[in-house]
Amino acid sequence: MINIGIIGTGFGAKIHIPGFKKVKGARVLGLASGSFKETEKVARTNKIPIVFKSWRKLVSSPKIDAVSIAVPPPLHAPIALEAIQAGKHVF
């Protein structure tokens, strides 16, 4: 089982969460976004068990195997670089 953490609750909630839920062997385990309140809401609605207060906490979590970046493109590089440095797979 690959545990996926999604960063972003807009496009992430509309596209990434439903997409990964259809993949056998994958589980959306964690979620983070710029708004903790929104993250909690989306996680509850989608039955995602772990809500992170920041993308950095998601990326550094040993429970997360892969990171799906669903934030505006100008924010991708620092998230992707930190995720790679943490040994995560990146989408």
Side-chain angles (χ1 to χ4, degrees):
M1 180 68 63
I2 296 173
N3 292 316
I4 299 169
I6 296 177
I7 301 170
T9 53
F11 190 75
K14 291 178 187 169
I15 305 300
H16 289 223
I17 293 170
F20 283 120
K21 284 189 170 191
K22 292 180 180 183
V23 177
K24 290 182 183 180
R27 171 176 55 182
V28 179
L29 185 66
L31 185 64
S33 78
S35 165
F36 186 68
K37 213 173 191 180
E38 182 67 16
T39 304
E40 288 181 309
K41 179 181 154 193
V42 172
R44 190 171 37 256
T45 300
N46 291 282
K47 297 181 172 86
I48 298 171
I50 304 175
V51 177
F52 292 92
K53 289 191 176 189
S54 73
W55 66 261
R56 282 190 166 90
K57 295 222 183 259
L58 182 149
V59 165
S60 67
S61 172
K63 295 180 180 181
I64 299 296
D65 302 313
V67 176
S68 181
I69 303 171
V71 298
L75 304 174
H76 286 206
I79 297 170
L81 290 171
E82 198 161 319
I84 291 165
Q85 288 175 346
K88 311 295 182 189
H89 301 282
V90 178
F91 296 100

